[in-house]
């Protein structure tokens, strides 16, 4: 499984756009990139998944450059409720290696 | 969407007793299930991976005789913490992989406190 590196923590203010970047230099050809959100004392929740270029859903966008060695999760206009830990995982559809990195602790301030 | 039910959400047990945690996929068949433990302000640590009908694959350093995993059906996996000690107190989380689309869904977690 491609190892991932993320910033340990980030601070933001309500209404701002937040971009969290994940590095995965040794991503394999058939690996996908998936982001999860976790609140305290809860299981992780799926946010978005992508393979290349840009993916957007109702809560976030995922930007993946052509070399796929990194990815950026973009949260538009964050609110206090977006305060959580965000994890990126890299793996193939047939890859059962679900080890988490350290994640990024996002704190949204009023 | 896919739902994974994990029970109990909280459990307190005495040292030396055993505790069973259940993980059920409610609306899909889980070809693979994963068990994690998480300490406060730390990331999830993978304990084991289990496929239905076969023995679980444990991560290095995880005692298979202490953390018994059973994946008897495509919708149920259980984690039994045997002879629990206070240092086993942690947050345990399961995850199930949907055999239809290979998506992963997580349970809500179980807070185990051993006194």
């Amino acid at each position: 499984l491609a190892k991932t590196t993320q910033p340990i923590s980030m601070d933001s203010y309500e209404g701002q756009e937040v971009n969290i970047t994940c590095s995965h230099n040794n991503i394999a050809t058939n690996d996908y990139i998936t982001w999860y959100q976790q609140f305290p004392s809860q299981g992780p929740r799926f946010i978005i998944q992508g393979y290349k270029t840009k993916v957007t859903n109702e809560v976030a966008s995922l930007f993946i450059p052509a070399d796929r060695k990194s990815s950026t999760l973009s949260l538009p206009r964050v609110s206090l409720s977006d305060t959580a830990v965000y994890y990126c995982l890299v793996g193939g559809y047939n890859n059962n290696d679900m080890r988490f990195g350290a994640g990024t602790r996002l704190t949204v301030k009023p | 969407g896919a739902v994974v039910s994990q029970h109990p959400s909280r459990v307190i047990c005495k040292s030396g007793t055993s505790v069973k945690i259940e993980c059920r996929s409610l609306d899909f068949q889980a070809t693979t299930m994963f068990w994690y433990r998480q300490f406060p302000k730390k990331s999830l640590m993978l304990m084991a991976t289990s496929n239905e009908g076969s023995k679980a694959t444990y991560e290095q350093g995880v005692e298979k005789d202490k953390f018994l995993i059973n994946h008897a059906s495509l919708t149920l996996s259980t984690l039994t913490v045997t002879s629990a000690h206070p240092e086993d107190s942690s947050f345990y989380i399961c995850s199930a992989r949907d055999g239809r689309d290979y998506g992963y869904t997580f349970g809500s977690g179980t807070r185990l406190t051993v006194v």
Side-chain angles (χ1 to χ4, degrees):
Chain A
L1 181 71
K3 182 179 178 180
T4 60
T5 303
Q6 303 173 231
I8 294 298
S9 64
M10 294 181 69
D11 289 343
S12 182
Y13 291 93
E14 283 189 291
Q16 289 186 333
E17 177 185 77
V18 171
N19 296 307
I20 305 174
T21 297
C22 179
S23 297
H24 28 80
N25 291 319
N26 57 341
I27 187 170
T29 302
N30 62 348
D31 282 345
Y32 282 75
I33 301 156
T34 310
W35 285 80
Y36 292 87
Q37 175 192 55
Q38 186 184 29
F39 296 113
S41 297
Q42 294 186 27
R45 183 176 72 98
F46 173 88
I47 300 175
I48 197 166
Q49 183 181 72
Y51 183 80
K52 62 180 180 181
T53 62
K54 176 184 175 181
V55 179
T56 298
N57 61 21
E58 62 275 9
V59 298
S61 294
L62 178 59
F63 299 92
I64 305 169
D67 66 6
R68 303 200 327 121
K69 293 184 183 298
S70 67
S71 59
T72 299
L73 173 72
S74 182
L75 304 173
R77 300 183 60 80
V78 295
S79 63
L80 296 177
S81 62
D82 292 317
T83 294
V85 179
Y86 293 83
Y87 297 96
C88 78
L89 270 76
V90 175
Y93 254 19
N94 293 321
N95 189 340
N96 277 333
D97 194 347
M98 286 287 287
R99 295 185 181 88
F100 281 73
T104 298
R105 185 173 298 275
L106 173 65
T107 302
V108 180
K109 302 175 182 178
Chain B
V3 178
V4 171
S5 175
Q6 186 174 340
H7 289 283
S9 57
R10 293 175 181 271
V11 59
I12 301 173
C13 71
K14 293 183 178 180
S15 289
T17 63
S18 296
V19 174
K20 180 183 287 188
I21 302 170
E22 288 191 350
C23 180
R24 293 180 183 271
S25 56
L26 298 186
D27 51 0
F28 66 97
Q29 293 185 328
T31 54
T32 307
M33 286 188 170
F34 307 84
W35 287 95
Y36 299 85
R37 66 185 300 182
Q38 185 175 33
F39 292 106
K41 297 193 180 297
K42 298 294 184 182
S43 182
L44 287 79
M45 183 186 77
L46 181 64
M47 299 175 67
T49 302
S50 72
N51 293 296
E52 183 265 340
S54 60
K55 291 183 177 180
T57 301
Y58 289 81
E59 293 296 297
Q60 190 173 8
V62 178
E63 300 176 58
K64 58 182 67 178
D65 293 332
K66 181 168 187 61
F67 299 99
L68 300 179
I69 292 172
N70 184 287
H71 192 164
S73 76
L74 282 171
T75 59
L76 174 65
S77 177
T78 60
L79 167 67
T80 301
V81 182
T82 63
S83 187
H85 290 106
E87 56 265 31
D88 298 325
S89 298
S90 189
F91 190 57
Y92 293 86
I93 306 168
C94 71
S95 174
R97 183 178 196 177
D98 191 333
R100 297 168 297 179
D101 61 9
Y102 301 105
Y104 298 91
T105 303
F106 289 82
S108 55
T110 297
R111 174 76 59 192
L112 170 63
T113 303
V114 185
V115 299

